[in-house]
Amino acid sequence: MALFMDAHTIEGGVSVGDVATAHEADLATQGGHGVSYLRYWVDEAAGKIFCLVEAPDAEAAHAVHREAHGLVADEIYAVTEGR
């Protein structure tokens, strides 16, 4: 499995509560795609959301968002965890 960080931009801002609800939908959907959403970060005022996910590939991670709630990422990057 590879590690990915995706980035979303929601015009007009976003609430942490709404992102938490979307994350729960991701968790409920991820198993069918072999994906594991791990963490997320939110900048409410800027409307930025970042999700860390283990997935076989970027498309599988994208498919979970699309199926779970339709809020697909604007960008997705393969990342390596550092210390």
Side-chain angles (χ1 to χ4, degrees), residues 30 42 60:
Q30 66 188 6
V42 180

Side-chain angles (χ1 to χ4, degrees), residues 4 10-11 13 26 32 37-39 51 53 59-60 62 75-76:
F4 297 92
I10 309 298
E11 293 298 322
D26 289 330
Y37 272 87
L38 304 172
R39 295 188 64 179
C51 305
V53 56
E59 180 50 42
H62 186 77
E75 300 173 290
I76 187 165

Side-chain angles (χ1 to χ4, degrees), residues 15-38:
S15 75
V16 170
D18 287 344
V19 176
T21 299
H23 181 69
E24 289 300 319
D26 289 330
L27 297 179
T29 305
Q30 66 188 6
H33 297 275
V35 169
S36 180
Y37 272 87
L38 304 172

